[in-house]
Amino acid sequence: MASSLPHQFVLPSKSSSKSAPILTSRRVVFRRIRVSVSEKPYVPASAVSDNGEAKLPVKKIPGNYGVPFVGPLKDRLDYFYNQGRDEFFKSKIKKYHSTVFRTNMPPGPLISQNSKVVALLDGKSFPVLFDVAKVEKKDLFTGTYMPSTDLTGGYRMLSYLDPSEPKHAKLKQLLFILLKSRRDQVIPEFQASYGELFETLEKELGEEGKSSFQIANDQAGFNFLCRAFFGTDPRDTKLGTDSPSLISKWVLFQLGPVLSLGLPKYVEELLIHTFPLPPVLVKNDYQRLYDFFYESSGFVQDDAEKMGISREEACHNLLFTTCFNSFGGMKIFFPNMLKWISRAGVKLHTELATEIRSAIRSNGGKVTMAAMEQMPLMKSVVYEALRIEPPVPLQYGKAKKDFLISSHDAVFKVKEGEMLFGFQPFATKDPKIFERSQEFVADRFMGDEGEKLLKHVLWSNGPETQQSTLGNKQCAGKDFVVLMSRLLVVELFRRYDSFDIEVGKSALGAAVTVTSLKRASF
Protein backbone atom coordinates (compact mmCIF):
# COMPACT_ATOMS: atom_id res chain seq x y z
CA MET A 1 0.00 0.00 0.00
CA ALA A 2 2.85 2.41 0.79
CA SER A 3 4.19 1.96 -2.69
CA SER A 4 1.10 3.71 -4.12
CA LEU A 5 1.90 6.95 -2.28
CA PRO A 6 3.86 9.73 -4.02
CA HIS A 7 7.42 10.17 -2.97
CA GLN A 8 6.74 13.68 -1.59
CA PHE A 9 3.66 15.48 -0.26
CA VAL A 10 2.96 18.55 1.90
CA LEU A 11 1.61 18.30 5.44
CA PRO A 12 -0.34 21.02 7.24
CA SER A 13 1.65 23.15 9.67
CA LYS A 14 0.97 22.75 13.41
CA SER A 15 0.14 26.50 13.59
CA SER A 16 -2.46 26.38 10.88
CA SER A 17 -6.00 27.52 11.57
CA LYS A 18 -8.84 25.08 11.79
CA SER A 19 -10.93 27.15 9.44
CA ALA A 20 -8.31 27.82 6.86
CA PRO A 21 -5.55 25.32 6.41
CA ILE A 22 -2.32 26.88 5.28
CA LEU A 23 -0.02 25.01 3.01
CA THR A 24 3.64 25.05 3.88
CA SER A 25 6.79 24.24 2.04
CA ARG A 26 7.87 21.83 4.73
CA ARG A 27 8.31 18.44 3.11
CA VAL A 28 8.43 14.88 4.43
CA VAL A 29 10.35 12.50 2.23
CA PHE A 30 9.46 8.79 2.15
CA ARG A 31 12.21 6.54 0.81
CA ARG A 32 11.71 3.22 -0.89
CA ILE A 33 12.15 0.32 1.48
CA ARG A 34 14.80 -2.12 0.36
CA VAL A 35 14.38 -5.77 1.41
CA SER A 36 17.55 -7.78 1.86
CA VAL A 37 17.96 -11.54 2.09
CA SER A 38 19.39 -12.81 5.36
CA GLU A 39 22.73 -14.50 5.15
CA LYS A 40 21.59 -17.01 7.76
CA PRO A 41 20.59 -20.42 6.38
CA TYR A 42 16.94 -21.02 5.65
CA VAL A 43 15.20 -22.94 8.42
CA PRO A 44 12.52 -25.25 6.96
CA ALA A 45 9.00 -25.05 8.38
CA SER A 46 9.20 -28.57 9.84
CA ALA A 47 12.20 -27.47 11.89
CA VAL A 48 10.33 -24.51 13.36
CA SER A 49 8.15 -24.63 16.45
CA ASP A 50 4.66 -23.13 16.67
CA ASN A 51 6.02 -19.85 18.03
CA GLY A 52 8.44 -19.52 15.11
CA GLU A 53 11.63 -20.43 16.96
CA ALA A 54 14.04 -22.93 15.44
CA LYS A 55 13.83 -26.31 17.15
CA LEU A 56 16.77 -28.07 15.58
CA PRO A 57 19.67 -26.97 13.40
CA VAL A 58 19.57 -27.87 9.74
CA LYS A 59 22.70 -29.83 8.93
CA LYS A 60 24.33 -31.51 5.98
CA ILE A 61 24.25 -35.29 6.29
CA PRO A 62 27.73 -36.27 7.48
CA GLY A 63 29.78 -39.17 6.17
CA ASN A 64 30.95 -40.34 2.76
CA TYR A 65 31.10 -43.45 0.62
CA GLY A 66 34.81 -43.55 -0.06
CA VAL A 67 36.51 -44.39 -3.33
CA PRO A 68 34.32 -46.45 -5.71
CA PHE A 69 34.67 -50.20 -5.14
CA VAL A 70 37.27 -49.69 -2.39
CA GLY A 71 34.95 -47.79 -0.04
CA PRO A 72 32.10 -50.33 -0.20
CA LEU A 73 34.55 -53.22 0.16
CA LYS A 74 36.19 -51.66 3.23
CA ASP A 75 32.80 -51.04 4.85
CA ARG A 76 31.79 -54.63 4.12
CA LEU A 77 34.90 -56.04 5.78
CA ASP A 78 34.41 -53.74 8.78
CA TYR A 79 30.74 -54.72 9.02
CA PHE A 80 31.31 -58.47 8.99
CA TYR A 81 34.81 -58.99 10.42
CA ASN A 82 36.98 -56.07 11.52
CA GLN A 83 34.38 -54.47 13.78
CA GLY A 84 31.19 -56.49 13.61
CA ARG A 85 27.74 -55.16 12.83
CA ASP A 86 26.89 -53.26 16.03
CA GLU A 87 30.35 -51.77 16.48
CA PHE A 88 30.36 -50.76 12.81
CA PHE A 89 27.36 -48.50 13.44
CA LYS A 90 28.50 -47.31 16.88
CA SER A 91 31.89 -46.24 15.56
CA LYS A 92 30.31 -44.14 12.82
CA ILE A 93 27.87 -42.51 15.23
CA LYS A 94 30.84 -41.57 17.39
CA LYS A 95 32.90 -40.41 14.42
CA TYR A 96 30.21 -38.16 12.94
CA HIS A 97 28.51 -37.18 16.23
CA SER A 98 25.25 -38.05 14.52
CA THR A 99 22.77 -40.91 14.32
CA VAL A 100 22.12 -39.95 10.68
CA PHE A 101 25.02 -40.34 8.27
CA ARG A 102 26.14 -41.67 4.91
CA THR A 103 27.73 -45.09 4.59
CA ASN A 104 27.86 -48.21 2.45
CA MET A 105 25.87 -51.30 3.33
CA PRO A 106 26.72 -54.91 2.38
CA PRO A 107 26.93 -56.75 0.14
CA GLY A 108 28.44 -54.13 -2.15
CA PRO A 109 30.58 -55.31 -5.08
CA LEU A 110 29.92 -57.40 -7.04
CA ILE A 111 26.39 -58.30 -5.93
CA SER A 112 24.76 -54.90 -5.44
CA GLN A 113 25.19 -52.16 -8.03
CA ASN A 114 24.85 -49.34 -5.51
CA SER A 115 25.71 -49.79 -1.83
CA LYS A 116 25.25 -46.13 -0.83
CA VAL A 117 22.73 -45.43 1.92
CA VAL A 118 21.72 -42.75 4.40
CA ALA A 119 21.68 -44.55 7.75
CA LEU A 120 18.93 -43.71 10.28
CA LEU A 121 19.96 -45.02 13.69
CA ASP A 122 17.61 -43.46 16.22
CA GLY A 123 13.97 -43.86 17.14
CA LYS A 124 12.96 -40.45 15.80
CA SER A 125 14.34 -40.67 12.26
CA PHE A 126 13.78 -44.39 11.71
CA PRO A 127 9.94 -44.36 11.32
CA VAL A 128 10.14 -42.43 8.04
CA LEU A 129 10.96 -45.81 6.51
CA PHE A 130 7.32 -46.78 7.11
CA ASP A 131 5.90 -43.72 5.33
CA VAL A 132 5.04 -44.98 1.85
CA ALA A 133 4.12 -41.43 0.80
CA LYS A 134 7.80 -40.54 1.17
CA VAL A 135 9.65 -43.78 0.48
CA GLU A 136 9.35 -46.51 -2.12
CA LYS A 137 9.70 -50.13 -1.03
CA LYS A 138 10.01 -51.72 -4.47
CA ASP A 139 12.56 -54.59 -4.56
CA LEU A 140 14.15 -53.47 -1.26
CA PHE A 141 13.10 -56.30 1.06
CA THR A 142 16.67 -57.60 1.31
CA GLY A 143 18.33 -54.20 0.96
CA THR A 144 20.70 -52.90 -1.70
CA TYR A 145 20.40 -56.07 -3.78
CA MET A 146 17.57 -58.36 -4.79
CA PRO A 147 17.86 -62.15 -5.04
CA SER A 148 17.07 -63.78 -8.37
CA THR A 149 13.38 -64.44 -8.99
CA ASP A 150 14.51 -67.90 -10.12
CA LEU A 151 14.40 -68.65 -6.39
CA THR A 152 10.69 -67.82 -6.27
CA GLY A 153 9.29 -69.37 -9.41
CA GLY A 154 10.04 -66.34 -11.58
CA TYR A 155 7.73 -64.06 -9.59
CA ARG A 156 8.43 -61.01 -7.46
CA MET A 157 6.96 -61.83 -4.07
CA LEU A 158 4.64 -59.59 -2.05
CA SER A 159 7.53 -58.59 0.20
CA TYR A 160 9.27 -56.97 -2.78
CA LEU A 161 6.21 -55.06 -4.05
CA ASP A 162 5.58 -51.41 -3.31
CA PRO A 163 1.99 -50.58 -2.23
CA SER A 164 1.64 -48.50 -5.40
CA GLU A 165 1.87 -51.67 -7.50
CA PRO A 166 -1.56 -53.18 -8.35
CA LYS A 167 -0.73 -56.71 -7.24
CA HIS A 168 0.36 -55.58 -3.77
CA ALA A 169 -3.18 -55.04 -2.51
CA LYS A 170 -4.48 -58.27 -4.08
CA LEU A 171 -1.75 -60.49 -2.63
CA LYS A 172 -1.94 -58.89 0.79
CA GLN A 173 -5.72 -59.23 0.78
CA LEU A 174 -5.29 -62.92 0.01
CA LEU A 175 -3.16 -63.32 3.15
CA PHE A 176 -5.77 -61.48 5.23
CA ILE A 177 -8.42 -63.87 3.92
CA LEU A 178 -6.27 -66.89 4.80
CA LEU A 179 -5.52 -65.63 8.32
CA LYS A 180 -9.16 -64.88 9.00
CA SER A 181 -10.44 -68.18 7.65
CA ARG A 182 -8.02 -70.24 9.76
CA ARG A 183 -7.97 -68.21 12.97
CA ASP A 184 -9.83 -70.84 14.99
CA GLN A 185 -7.11 -73.39 14.25
CA VAL A 186 -4.19 -71.36 15.57
CA ILE A 187 -4.41 -72.06 19.33
CA PRO A 188 -5.23 -75.80 19.15
CA GLU A 189 -2.60 -76.48 16.47
CA PHE A 190 0.03 -74.51 18.34
CA GLN A 191 -0.67 -76.43 21.51
CA ALA A 192 -0.45 -79.73 19.65
CA SER A 193 2.77 -78.92 17.81
CA TYR A 194 4.58 -77.31 20.74
CA GLY A 195 3.29 -79.97 23.11
CA GLU A 196 5.32 -82.37 20.95
CA LEU A 197 8.28 -79.97 21.15
CA PHE A 198 8.29 -80.01 24.96
CA GLU A 199 7.99 -83.80 25.00
CA THR A 200 11.03 -83.96 22.71
CA LEU A 201 13.02 -81.60 24.92
CA GLU A 202 12.18 -83.59 28.06
CA LYS A 203 13.10 -86.88 26.44
CA GLU A 204 16.47 -85.60 25.19
CA LEU A 205 17.21 -83.96 28.54
CA GLY A 206 16.60 -87.29 30.23
CA GLU A 207 18.85 -89.14 27.79
CA GLU A 208 21.63 -86.63 27.12
CA GLY A 209 21.31 -83.93 29.78
CA LYS A 210 20.62 -81.23 27.20
CA SER A 211 18.50 -80.60 24.12
CA SER A 212 18.71 -78.25 21.14
CA PHE A 213 15.72 -75.94 21.16
CA GLN A 214 16.71 -74.88 17.64
CA ILE A 215 16.14 -78.27 16.06
CA ALA A 216 12.92 -79.01 17.92
CA ASN A 217 11.58 -75.50 17.25
CA ASP A 218 12.25 -75.72 13.51
CA GLN A 219 10.25 -78.92 13.22
CA ALA A 220 7.42 -77.85 15.53
CA GLY A 221 7.19 -74.41 13.92
CA PHE A 222 6.80 -75.67 10.36
CA ASN A 223 4.38 -78.41 11.40
CA PHE A 224 2.27 -75.84 13.24
CA LEU A 225 2.16 -73.37 10.33
CA CYS A 226 1.11 -76.01 7.81
CA ARG A 227 -1.50 -77.53 10.11
CA ALA A 228 -2.88 -74.14 11.16
CA PHE A 229 -2.93 -72.51 7.71
CA PHE A 230 -3.62 -75.44 5.39
CA GLY A 231 -4.87 -78.30 7.57
CA THR A 232 -2.02 -80.56 6.43
CA ASP A 233 0.72 -82.17 8.48
CA PRO A 234 3.87 -82.19 6.30
CA ARG A 235 5.03 -85.39 8.01
CA ASP A 236 2.13 -87.18 6.33
CA THR A 237 3.33 -86.12 2.87
CA LYS A 238 6.40 -86.65 0.71
CA LEU A 239 8.12 -83.82 2.59
CA GLY A 240 8.26 -85.82 5.79
CA THR A 241 10.56 -84.05 8.26
CA ASP A 242 12.85 -82.57 5.59
CA SER A 243 11.19 -79.16 5.43
CA PRO A 244 13.39 -77.21 7.89
CA SER A 245 16.61 -78.20 6.14
CA LEU A 246 15.15 -77.47 2.68
CA ILE A 247 13.94 -74.04 3.80
CA SER A 248 17.21 -73.13 5.52
CA LYS A 249 19.17 -73.92 2.37
CA TRP A 250 16.74 -71.94 0.18
CA VAL A 251 16.85 -68.93 2.54
CA LEU A 252 20.66 -68.99 2.54
CA PHE A 253 20.66 -68.50 -1.22
CA GLN A 254 18.62 -65.32 -0.71
CA LEU A 255 20.18 -63.87 2.44
CA GLY A 256 23.73 -65.18 2.12
CA PRO A 257 25.10 -61.83 0.87
CA VAL A 258 24.13 -60.15 4.18
CA LEU A 259 24.90 -63.03 6.56
CA SER A 260 28.03 -64.23 8.30
CA LEU A 261 28.24 -68.00 8.64
CA GLY A 262 31.31 -68.02 10.86
CA LEU A 263 33.55 -69.33 8.10
CA PRO A 264 37.10 -68.04 7.57
CA LYS A 265 36.95 -64.46 6.27
CA TYR A 266 38.23 -65.00 2.76
CA VAL A 267 36.30 -68.23 2.24
CA GLU A 268 33.08 -66.52 3.29
CA GLU A 269 33.83 -63.43 1.20
CA LEU A 270 34.34 -65.48 -1.94
CA LEU A 271 31.53 -67.95 -1.26
CA ILE A 272 28.57 -65.72 -0.36
CA HIS A 273 29.53 -62.03 -0.32
CA THR A 274 31.05 -61.50 -3.77
CA PHE A 275 28.93 -63.57 -6.15
CA PRO A 276 25.30 -64.72 -5.79
CA LEU A 277 24.86 -68.44 -5.24
CA PRO A 278 23.35 -70.04 -8.38
CA PRO A 279 19.61 -70.80 -7.90
CA VAL A 280 19.93 -74.04 -9.84
CA LEU A 281 21.58 -75.60 -6.78
CA VAL A 282 18.31 -75.41 -4.83
CA LYS A 283 15.90 -75.93 -7.72
CA ASN A 284 14.92 -79.46 -6.71
CA ASP A 285 14.58 -78.53 -3.04
CA TYR A 286 12.31 -75.64 -3.91
CA GLN A 287 10.23 -77.82 -6.20
CA ARG A 288 9.57 -80.23 -3.34
CA LEU A 289 8.32 -77.37 -1.19
CA TYR A 290 6.24 -75.95 -4.04
CA ASP A 291 4.56 -79.30 -4.75
CA PHE A 292 3.57 -79.59 -1.09
CA PHE A 293 2.05 -76.11 -0.99
CA TYR A 294 0.30 -76.53 -4.33
CA GLU A 295 -1.39 -79.71 -3.12
CA SER A 296 -2.24 -78.30 0.32
CA SER A 297 -3.49 -74.81 -0.50
CA GLY A 298 -6.14 -75.44 -3.15
CA PHE A 299 -8.86 -73.58 -1.22
CA VAL A 300 -6.66 -70.46 -1.04
CA GLN A 301 -5.82 -70.73 -4.72
CA ASP A 302 -9.57 -70.72 -5.43
CA ASP A 303 -9.85 -67.36 -3.68
CA ALA A 304 -6.81 -66.10 -5.58
CA GLU A 305 -8.35 -66.92 -8.95
CA LYS A 306 -11.48 -64.96 -8.03
CA MET A 307 -9.20 -61.98 -7.35
CA GLY A 308 -7.41 -62.27 -10.68
CA ILE A 309 -4.25 -63.96 -9.34
CA SER A 310 -3.08 -67.15 -11.01
CA ARG A 311 -2.97 -70.31 -8.91
CA GLU A 312 0.75 -70.60 -9.59
CA GLU A 313 1.59 -67.06 -8.42
CA ALA A 314 -0.62 -67.49 -5.36
CA CYS A 315 1.16 -70.72 -4.46
CA HIS A 316 4.63 -69.20 -4.75
CA ASN A 317 3.51 -66.36 -2.49
CA LEU A 318 1.98 -68.73 0.07
CA LEU A 319 5.23 -70.69 0.11
CA PHE A 320 7.26 -67.52 0.58
CA THR A 321 5.00 -66.14 3.30
CA THR A 322 4.95 -69.41 5.22
CA CYS A 323 8.58 -70.45 4.83
CA PHE A 324 10.47 -67.16 4.63
CA ASN A 325 8.31 -64.73 6.62
CA SER A 326 6.48 -66.84 9.22
CA PHE A 327 8.82 -69.81 9.69
CA GLY A 328 11.86 -67.56 9.39
CA GLY A 329 10.46 -65.25 12.05
CA MET A 330 9.81 -68.14 14.45
CA LYS A 331 13.26 -69.56 13.77
CA ILE A 332 14.90 -66.25 14.72
CA PHE A 333 12.60 -64.77 17.34
CA PHE A 334 11.60 -67.74 19.51
CA PRO A 335 15.18 -68.62 20.57
CA ASN A 336 15.96 -64.94 21.12
CA MET A 337 12.89 -64.50 23.30
CA LEU A 338 13.78 -67.54 25.41
CA LYS A 339 17.29 -66.16 25.81
CA TRP A 340 16.02 -62.91 27.34
CA ILE A 341 13.42 -64.60 29.56
CA SER A 342 15.99 -67.07 30.83
CA ARG A 343 18.48 -64.32 31.65
CA ALA A 344 15.79 -62.41 33.58
CA GLY A 345 15.89 -65.13 36.25
CA VAL A 346 13.68 -67.25 38.48
CA LYS A 347 11.76 -64.32 39.98
CA LEU A 348 10.29 -63.41 36.59
CA HIS A 349 9.67 -67.08 35.81
CA THR A 350 7.65 -67.47 39.00
CA GLU A 351 5.64 -64.31 38.30
CA LEU A 352 4.86 -65.47 34.77
CA ALA A 353 3.87 -68.96 35.90
CA THR A 354 1.59 -67.52 38.58
CA GLU A 355 -0.10 -65.05 36.25
CA ILE A 356 -0.53 -67.50 33.37
CA ARG A 357 -1.90 -70.38 35.44
CA SER A 358 -4.27 -68.10 37.34
CA ALA A 359 -5.72 -66.62 34.16
CA ILE A 360 -6.17 -70.08 32.61
CA ARG A 361 -7.99 -71.34 35.72
CA SER A 362 -10.25 -68.28 35.61
CA ASN A 363 -11.21 -69.17 32.03
CA GLY A 364 -12.30 -72.75 32.55
CA GLY A 365 -8.84 -74.25 32.37
CA LYS A 366 -8.41 -73.37 28.69
CA VAL A 367 -6.00 -71.14 26.83
CA THR A 368 -8.16 -68.60 25.02
CA MET A 369 -7.74 -65.13 23.60
CA ALA A 370 -9.73 -63.79 26.55
CA ALA A 371 -7.47 -65.60 29.01
CA MET A 372 -4.34 -64.15 27.42
CA GLU A 373 -5.76 -60.64 27.68
CA GLN A 374 -5.70 -61.21 31.45
CA MET A 375 -1.93 -61.77 31.39
CA PRO A 376 -0.43 -58.24 31.31
CA LEU A 377 3.06 -59.35 32.39
CA MET A 378 3.18 -62.06 29.73
CA LYS A 379 2.10 -59.56 27.07
CA SER A 380 4.72 -57.05 28.22
CA VAL A 381 7.45 -59.71 28.13
CA VAL A 382 6.66 -60.48 24.49
CA TYR A 383 6.69 -56.81 23.51
CA GLU A 384 9.93 -56.26 25.39
CA ALA A 385 11.56 -59.17 23.55
CA LEU A 386 10.37 -57.70 20.23
CA ARG A 387 11.76 -54.32 21.27
CA ILE A 388 15.19 -55.35 22.49
CA GLU A 389 15.95 -57.75 19.63
CA PRO A 390 13.53 -57.37 16.71
CA PRO A 391 13.56 -60.40 14.38
CA VAL A 392 14.11 -58.30 11.22
CA PRO A 393 16.89 -55.83 12.05
CA LEU A 394 17.38 -54.08 8.70
CA GLN A 395 14.90 -51.82 6.89
CA TYR A 396 15.24 -49.98 3.59
CA GLY A 397 13.35 -47.41 1.55
CA LYS A 398 14.13 -45.17 -1.43
CA ALA A 399 13.18 -41.49 -1.22
CA LYS A 400 10.29 -40.69 -3.59
CA LYS A 401 10.99 -36.95 -3.37
CA ASP A 402 13.13 -34.40 -1.56
CA PHE A 403 12.11 -34.18 2.09
CA LEU A 404 13.41 -33.50 5.59
CA ILE A 405 14.31 -36.05 8.24
CA SER A 406 14.67 -35.16 11.91
CA SER A 407 16.84 -36.94 14.42
CA HIS A 408 16.85 -35.91 18.07
CA ASP A 409 19.64 -33.43 17.35
CA ALA A 410 19.24 -32.04 13.85
CA VAL A 411 17.26 -31.84 10.62
CA PHE A 412 18.64 -33.29 7.38
CA LYS A 413 17.56 -32.96 3.78
CA VAL A 414 17.22 -36.16 1.78
CA LYS A 415 17.10 -36.01 -2.00
CA GLU A 416 14.83 -37.94 -4.31
CA GLY A 417 16.26 -41.34 -5.23
CA GLU A 418 18.53 -41.69 -2.20
CA MET A 419 18.46 -45.03 -0.41
CA LEU A 420 17.54 -44.85 3.26
CA PHE A 421 18.56 -47.55 5.68
CA GLY A 422 17.56 -48.16 9.27
CA PHE A 423 19.09 -50.53 11.81
CA GLN A 424 16.04 -51.41 13.87
CA PRO A 425 17.69 -52.53 17.14
CA PHE A 426 19.26 -49.08 17.54
CA ALA A 427 15.90 -47.40 16.97
CA THR A 428 14.10 -49.63 19.48
CA LYS A 429 16.87 -49.23 22.05
CA ASP A 430 17.05 -45.45 21.69
CA PRO A 431 18.01 -44.15 25.17
CA LYS A 432 16.16 -40.90 24.49
CA ILE A 433 12.92 -42.87 24.22
CA PHE A 434 13.40 -45.84 26.56
CA GLU A 435 14.86 -45.73 30.06
CA ARG A 436 17.39 -48.51 30.69
CA SER A 437 17.17 -49.06 26.95
CA GLN A 438 19.84 -51.78 26.83
CA GLU A 439 18.18 -53.83 29.57
CA PHE A 440 15.40 -56.38 29.31
CA VAL A 441 12.71 -54.84 31.51
CA ALA A 442 9.92 -57.42 31.69
CA ASP A 443 7.15 -55.09 32.90
CA ARG A 444 8.11 -52.14 30.67
CA PHE A 445 4.81 -52.13 28.75
CA MET A 446 2.43 -52.67 31.66
CA GLY A 447 -0.05 -49.99 32.74
CA ASP A 448 -1.13 -46.81 30.98
CA GLU A 449 2.37 -45.35 30.78
CA GLY A 450 3.78 -48.62 29.46
CA GLU A 451 1.15 -48.85 26.75
CA LYS A 452 2.10 -45.36 25.53
CA LEU A 453 5.54 -46.73 24.68
CA LEU A 454 4.14 -49.34 22.29
CA LYS A 455 4.24 -46.84 19.42
CA HIS A 456 8.03 -47.11 19.63
CA VAL A 457 8.03 -50.93 19.23
CA LEU A 458 8.79 -51.16 15.51
CA TRP A 459 9.53 -54.81 14.73
CA SER A 460 6.75 -55.32 12.13
CA ASN A 461 7.74 -52.68 9.54
CA GLY A 462 5.53 -50.25 11.40
CA PRO A 463 4.71 -49.20 14.97
CA GLU A 464 2.98 -51.75 17.19
CA THR A 465 0.04 -49.35 17.58
CA GLN A 466 -0.59 -49.26 13.83
CA GLN A 467 -2.66 -51.78 11.89
CA SER A 468 -1.51 -53.59 8.79
CA THR A 469 -3.50 -52.39 5.77
CA LEU A 470 -3.52 -52.92 2.03
CA GLY A 471 -1.91 -49.51 1.59
CA ASN A 472 1.12 -49.94 3.86
CA LYS A 473 4.04 -52.34 4.14
CA GLN A 474 3.40 -53.48 7.68
CA CYS A 475 3.55 -57.25 8.12
CA ALA A 476 0.25 -58.84 7.12
CA GLY A 477 0.69 -61.36 9.93
CA LYS A 478 1.69 -58.81 12.59
CA ASP A 479 -1.02 -59.83 15.06
CA PHE A 480 -0.49 -63.50 14.22
CA VAL A 481 3.20 -63.27 15.15
CA VAL A 482 2.38 -61.59 18.47
CA LEU A 483 -0.19 -64.33 19.17
CA MET A 484 2.30 -67.12 18.39
CA SER A 485 4.89 -65.54 20.65
CA ARG A 486 2.41 -65.21 23.49
CA LEU A 487 1.37 -68.80 23.05
CA LEU A 488 4.96 -69.99 23.38
CA VAL A 489 5.38 -68.16 26.71
CA VAL A 490 2.01 -69.46 27.92
CA GLU A 491 2.72 -73.06 26.97
CA LEU A 492 6.19 -72.89 28.54
CA PHE A 493 5.00 -71.64 31.91
CA ARG A 494 1.90 -73.81 31.98
CA ARG A 495 4.25 -76.75 32.15
CA TYR A 496 7.35 -75.48 33.93
CA ASP A 497 8.20 -73.29 36.90
CA SER A 498 11.58 -72.38 35.44
CA PHE A 499 14.17 -73.41 32.86
CA ASP A 500 17.87 -73.01 32.11
CA ILE A 501 19.62 -72.69 28.77
CA GLU A 502 23.00 -72.23 27.17
CA VAL A 503 23.26 -69.64 24.41
CA GLY A 504 25.53 -69.80 21.39
CA LYS A 505 25.61 -67.98 18.08
CA SER A 506 24.03 -68.79 14.75
CA ALA A 507 23.83 -66.96 11.43
CA LEU A 508 20.26 -65.86 12.20
CA GLY A 509 20.39 -65.19 15.94
CA ALA A 510 20.81 -67.14 19.15
CA ALA A 511 21.49 -70.88 19.23
CA VAL A 512 19.67 -72.10 22.36
CA THR A 513 20.36 -75.38 24.13
CA VAL A 514 18.00 -76.29 26.97
CA THR A 515 19.83 -77.68 30.01
CA SER A 516 16.98 -78.00 32.52
CA LEU A 517 13.20 -77.80 32.76
CA LYS A 518 11.62 -77.60 36.23
CA ARG A 519 8.14 -79.09 36.09
CA ALA A 520 5.18 -77.10 37.39
CA SER A 521 4.85 -77.40 41.16
CA PHE A 522 1.73 -75.32 41.75
Side-chain angles (χ1 to χ4, degrees), residues 69 131 201 256 354 501:
F69 191 87
D131 188 345
L201 296 181
T354 301
I501 61 174

Coordinates of all heavy atoms in Angstrom, one line a residue, residues 69 131 201 256 354 501:
F69 N 34.2 -48.8 -5.3 CA 34.7 -50.2 -5.1 C 35.5 -50.4 -3.8 O 35.1 -51.3 -3.0 CB 35.5 -50.7 -6.3 CG 35.7 -52.2 -6.3 CD1 34.8 -53.1 -6.8 CD2 36.9 -52.7 -5.6 CE1 35.0 -54.4 -6.8 CE2 37.1 -54.1 -5.6 CZ 36.1 -55.0 -6.1
D131 N 6.8 -44.7 6.0 CA 5.9 -43.7 5.3 C 6.0 -43.9 3.8 O 6.8 -43.4 3.1 CB 6.3 -42.3 5.7 CG 5.3 -41.2 5.2 OD1 4.5 -41.6 4.4 OD2 5.4 -40.1 5.7
L201 N 12.0 -82.2 24.1 CA 13.0 -81.6 24.9 C 13.2 -82.4 26.2 O 14.3 -82.7 26.6 CB 12.6 -80.2 25.3 CG 12.6 -79.1 24.1 CD1 12.2 -77.8 24.7 CD2 13.9 -79.1 23.4
G256 N 22.3 -65.0 2.0 CA 23.7 -65.2 2.1 C 24.6 -63.9 2.0 O 25.5 -63.7 2.8
T354 N 2.7 -67.8 37.7 CA 1.6 -67.5 38.6 C 0.5 -66.8 37.8 O -0.7 -67.2 37.9 CB 2.0 -66.6 39.8 OG1 3.0 -67.3 40.5 CG2 0.9 -66.3 40.7
I501 N 19.1 -72.5 30.1 CA 19.6 -72.7 28.8 C 21.1 -72.3 28.7 O 21.6 -71.5 29.5 CB 18.8 -71.9 27.7 CG1 18.9 -70.4 28.0 CG2 17.4 -72.3 27.7 CD1 18.2 -69.5 26.9

